[in-house]
């Protein structure tokens, strides 16, 4: 059994269930498009395969409980492409497509899937089950009004997104 499956099993054994999965692992090592095959495999594994494996491992529990929120962080290179990041962009583009498919297929079980990217200028882009909401600065609000201008790190972004997508203060979630 692989590491993502073991992580999911351990979390389920300890907590009984996982309501919110935040896929936030990955890395943006600049690689040229003609990078060696092993580098492509490494980048695809880190930036896409682990997201798929962990999501796949937790979906049965979410479906059984008729509730789940899957939030995947993806770099903006997946949306717009970036010079020197073709390998990572391809993997993260897979995350975006996978997220949309999960949202469509499992929404009927009250399991939602959303992807979040942060642009180079600091805007957060929330792809909420296929819809796109661009948020100015680092604030997220249902009405689109700016809730405040604050600088946040990845953990802060996760907390804002969890609150926005679930209507709950993030207390227990698996990242």
């Amino acid at each position: 059994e692989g590491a993502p499956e073991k992580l999911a099993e351990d979390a389920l054994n300890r907590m009984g269930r996982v309501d919110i999965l935040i896929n936030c692992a990955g890395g943006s090592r600049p690689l040229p498009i003609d990078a060696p095959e092993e580098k492509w495999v490494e980048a695809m594994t880190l930036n896409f395969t682990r997201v798929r494996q962990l999501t796949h491992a937790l979906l049965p529990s979410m479906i059984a409980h008729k509730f789940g929120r899957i939030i995947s962080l993806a770099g903006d290179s997946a949306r717009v492409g970036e010079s020197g990041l073709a390998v990572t962009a391809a993997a993260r583009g897979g995350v975006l497509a996978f997220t949309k498919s999960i949202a469509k297929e499992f929404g009927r079980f009250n399991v939602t899937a959303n992807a979040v990217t942060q642009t180079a200028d600091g805007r957060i882009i929330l792809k909420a089950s296929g819809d796109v909401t661009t948020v100015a600065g680092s604030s997220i609000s249902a009405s689109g009004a700016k809730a405040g201008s604050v600088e946040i790190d990845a953990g802060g972004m996760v907390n804002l997104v969890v609150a926005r997508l679930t209507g709950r203060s993030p207390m227990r979630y698996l990242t």
Side-chain angles (χ1 to χ4, degrees), residues 122-126 133-141 144-145 164:
R123 290 178 299 126
I124 296 171
I125 309 257
L126 170 62
T133 303
T134 302
V135 182
S138 301
S139 59
I140 296 177
S141 71
R164 168 72 163 88

Side-chain angles (χ1 to χ4, degrees), residues 49-71:
T49 304
R50 297 298 183 236
V51 169
R52 181 190 56 77
Q53 290 171 328
L54 194 52
T55 300
H56 185 258
L58 289 172
L59 266 172
S61 174
M62 290 177 174
I63 291 167
H65 290 100
K66 295 188 178 16
F67 184 86
R69 300 294 179 260
I70 301 166
I71 302 164

Side-chain angles (χ1 to χ4, degrees), residues 70-74 95-96 99 113-117 125-129:
I70 301 166
I71 302 164
S72 297
L73 278 61
V95 169
L96 296 181
T99 299
N114 301 273
V116 178
T117 66
I125 309 257
L126 170 62
K127 295 185 180 239
S129 299

Side-chain angles (χ1 to χ4, degrees), residues 29-41 43-44 81-91:
R29 292 181 208 93
L31 292 172
I33 199 161
D34 61 350
E37 182 65 19
E38 65 270 8
K39 294 297 182 182
W40 272 86
V41 170
M44 293 299 284
E82 292 292 335
S83 178
L85 293 178
V87 179
T88 301

Side-chain angles (χ1 to χ4, degrees), residues 74-82 92 117-120 123 125:
D76 204 38
S77 62
R79 263 186 355 98
V80 298
E82 292 292 335
R92 291 179 174 177
T117 66
Q118 186 166 13
T119 64
R123 290 178 299 126
I125 309 257

